[in-house]
Amino acid sequence: MTERDPFPDPSPAGAGDHPTRAARIEHGETVRRRIPFDAIAEHAPDRDRDPVGLLESQGATRVPDLVPIRYGRMAESPFAFYRGAALVMADDFSHASATGLHTQLCGDAHLSNFGLFATPERDLAFDVNDFDETYPGPFEWDVKRLVASLAVAGRDNGFRGKERKRIARACAAEYRETMTQQAECGELAVWYSHIDAATELDELRGDLDSSARKRVKKTIHKSWGRDSMQALSKLTTLVDGTPRIVSTPPLIVPIEEIFTDTEAEQINRELIQRMREYRDTLQPARRVLFDRFDYVQTARKVVGVGSVGTRAWIILLRGPGGDPLFLQAKEAQPSVLAEYVDGPTVTNQGERVVTGQRRIQAASDILLGWQQGPDADGTVRDYYVRQLRDGKGSAVIETMSAHLMTLYGRLCARVLAYAHARAGDRFAIAGYLGSDNDFDKALTAFAESYADQNARDHAALRQAIDDGRITARPGT
């Protein structure tokens, strides 16, 4: 006889079978007794771990000419390595105890994957903004990656040990306290929870010195200016009255420079068909908007750190009045988490990214969609598509003071808790976390331990470059 799941997924048909809030909290407390904080905070590396080998395994499916750029970027600093090493950390997590309290994970929740973007209502929000690795998994995996990123970044910024621990503990505490608050809210209140950037700045004004306030205001102002018009002025030039994307190899290369004329013509036809298929994944009202634009040109663009080598394209379209729309089509490969947790069968990785983003982000790009189809060589690839720039902005981690990083880490932890509460069982997670600071202390210890590990892994990458095992292209 199959045992009944005591915590079924919410559904209208089973609404009457849902356990009570108290029962869910008790379930979380039971998990805590079985899997204490020290267990999830323990880092006991596998004797045979090979971080460089894991990175090489990813390179096998990427554009060969771009993979050296990825290694060059990751070699720049321990924090740069950490940004690109989500697979390495996922592999480490798989060898540690896990709570089994699953939610939709960001999958790569480090400091630089949070930032500003414009909502459909044209407010400026702060939230998680990278979902390439999103997948269901233990909630603590995201929290551990976030808290450890503070320790790694703090070391790169020259912070003392006590400062780093204070920053990490504040982040873990913010997540725990926010999740407790979310467990006391109703369903709609949880779904609508978000951080408005302008309001948050006003509330933090007393905690920031004048220099920090100016930097934050500058970031917000710069974000509002990042749109398709700004991209047009920066990325294109007029040729016979038509905007054409400027080639700056290897970072931005129009397809006409990658392929022969015949191949480029064929690929353009395929791209137009891909755009039609992507259009069908948009909401009906947004299809009306999209249909007002005509295709102009596409170029390959190198993006990020960990993503370098995956296929990413920028697509220029133009409206009847000449106004531009820049889209980014980014290849979606299987999440680094998929190999390590039992999760859903995914037939379209682009749809996985979009669905995960919509589950955990407060508000999403109105032109967010996906597409699947064969490339020119016949290989079927999955993509997700979004606006290239729509009020997007991010903090400069490398120039943060310890005080500002503390505040920033708390903001990241708060929106991560909002995201997890939307998609998972916030009552059980809150019950697991409890009301004292033992969770905070355990994750602070983990953060320092993993920062040590990350430093060793970064050194291993640099050694592999020096030994000629892998080829890196620095400074690109």
Side-chain angles (χ1 to χ4, degrees):
M1 182 177 178
T2 302
E3 184 178 354
R4 177 184 176 276
D5 180 6
F7 295 94
D9 290 335
S11 64
D17 296 330
H18 291 167
T20 65
R21 176 181 181 277
R24 293 184 181 194
I25 291 175
E26 183 179 356
H27 174 63
E29 294 170 346
T30 300
V31 173
R32 190 201 321 157
R33 290 190 288 271
R34 189 175 72 250
I35 310 290
F37 299 143
D38 288 346
I40 65 170
E42 182 181 7
H43 174 59
D46 188 76
R47 183 173 298 180
D48 298 325
R49 74 189 296 279
D50 179 11
V52 177
L54 288 170
L55 297 177
E56 287 178 307
S57 71
Q58 291 182 297
T61 61
R62 303 191 178 200
V63 180
D65 293 346
L66 300 182
V67 172
I69 297 176
R70 182 193 190 202
Y71 293 140
R73 290 184 176 185
M74 291 181 67
E76 289 179 0
S77 69
F79 185 60
F81 178 89
Y82 189 87
R83 289 180 59 184
L87 174 61
V88 177
M89 198 170 198
D91 187 78
D92 287 331
F93 285 159
S94 71
H95 298 288
S97 298
T99 63
L101 299 175
H102 285 204
T103 186
Q104 186 75 29
L105 301 181
C106 161
D108 191 15
H110 62 73
L111 281 181
S112 292
N113 278 344
F114 295 75
L116 300 167
F117 62 91
T119 70
E121 297 77 21
R122 313 324 290 157
D123 295 323
L124 201 61
F126 180 85
D127 209 334
V128 184
N129 65 3
D130 189 295
F131 302 90
D132 287 15
E133 311 300 345
T134 186
Y135 202 74
F139 82 92
E140 71 272 12
W141 286 16
D142 266 357
V143 189
K144 289 163 70 173
R145 183 149 175 78
L146 173 59
V147 176
S149 74
L150 288 160
V152 174
R155 292 185 181 199
D156 276 13
N157 285 14
F159 301 158
R160 300 187 306 274
K162 287 185 178 179
E163 290 176 314
R164 297 195 305 271
K165 290 177 182 178
R166 191 159 48 243
I167 294 168
R169 185 175 295 189
C171 177
E174 185 73 30
Y175 179 90
R176 173 178 54 81
E177 292 166 0
T178 301
M179 187 61 72
T180 298
Q181 293 166 2
Q182 294 300 89
E184 296 171 353
C185 294
E187 300 301 325
L188 289 176
V190 168
W191 192 260
Y192 290 135
S193 296
H194 70 284
I195 289 179
D196 177 87
T199 301
E200 190 65 31
L201 176 60
D202 287 339
E203 293 178 355
L204 291 176
R205 192 175 301 277
D207 294 326
L208 299 174
D209 59 31
S210 59
S211 177
R213 285 198 297 271
K214 288 179 181 178
R215 286 197 298 272
V216 173
K217 281 186 175 181
K218 182 178 180 181
T219 298
I220 290 177
H221 179 74
K222 184 178 179 181
S223 297
W224 271 127
R226 289 174 62 84
D227 56 17
S228 285
M229 287 298 296
Q230 188 259 0
L232 184 75
S233 65
K234 184 174 181 180
L235 301 178
T236 71
T237 187
L238 284 178
V239 178
D240 297 327
T242 301
R244 306 297 291 179
I245 299 172
V246 176
S247 178
T248 54
L251 301 184
I252 301 177
V253 185
I255 60 171
E256 295 83 2
E257 298 182 16
I258 301 174
F259 305 101
T260 66
D261 291 345
T262 301
E263 290 172 335
E265 183 178 350
Q266 177 187 350
I267 290 170
N268 272 322
R269 288 196 299 268
E270 292 172 353
L271 281 167
I272 291 172
Q273 180 59 34
R274 281 182 181 269
M275 287 292 97
R276 290 173 179 149
E277 294 169 359
Y278 147 74
R279 170 199 177 276
D280 292 340
T281 68
L282 300 175
Q283 295 178 9
R286 276 101 191 243
R287 296 174 198 166
V288 175
L289 168 64
F290 180 75
D291 288 345
R292 292 172 178 162
F293 291 87
D294 293 320
Y295 174 77
V296 177
Q297 191 186 20
T298 295
R300 187 178 71 189
K301 188 176 190 298
V302 175
V303 294
V305 177
S307 297
V308 176
T310 57
R311 291 148 187 87
W313 307 91
I314 55 173
I315 303 162
L316 173 60
L317 301 100
R318 190 161 60 162
D323 51 312
L325 170 62
F326 261 107
L327 297 178
Q328 180 188 60
K330 192 173 181 185
E331 182 183 9
Q333 298 187 345
S335 168
V336 296
L337 306 181
E339 185 178 343
Y340 303 108
V341 293
D342 292 330
T345 300
V346 177
T347 58
N348 187 316
Q349 300 297 335
E351 184 177 6
R352 168 188 61 80
V353 172
V354 172
T355 301
Q357 178 168 348
R358 289 173 176 168
R359 284 178 180 170
I360 63 179
Q361 194 177 48
S364 297
D365 186 346
I366 63 171
L367 294 177
L368 180 66
W370 66 87
Q371 195 277 334
Q372 181 184 70
D375 274 356
D377 62 1
T379 303
V380 175
R381 301 193 188 279
D382 300 341
Y383 289 88
Y384 67 94
V385 184
R386 62 187 177 185
Q387 293 184 69
L388 176 64
R389 295 177 182 174
D390 189 28
K392 296 180 177 70
S394 57
V396 182
I397 308 299
E398 295 78 8
T399 61
M400 283 187 178
S401 65
H403 178 62
L404 186 55
M405 188 175 287
T406 301
L407 298 175
Y408 186 75
R410 286 174 54 194
L411 283 181
C412 295
R414 194 188 315 167
V415 296
L416 186 63
Y418 288 162
H420 287 178
R422 283 187 200 100
D425 189 339
R426 64 189 186 279
F427 305 114
I429 296 174
Y432 178 83
L433 295 172
S435 58
D436 57 32
N437 62 2
D438 289 347
F439 174 79
D440 318 343
K441 291 187 289 187
L443 258 67
T444 300
F446 167 79
E448 282 296 308
S449 175
Y450 203 84
D452 290 337
Q453 179 66 71
N454 183 76
R456 294 191 293 269
D457 291 348
H458 174 247
L461 174 64
R462 294 185 65 91
Q463 187 63 53
I465 294 170
D466 292 341
D467 293 344
R469 173 179 171 180
I470 60 175
T471 302
R473 183 173 178 175
T476 304

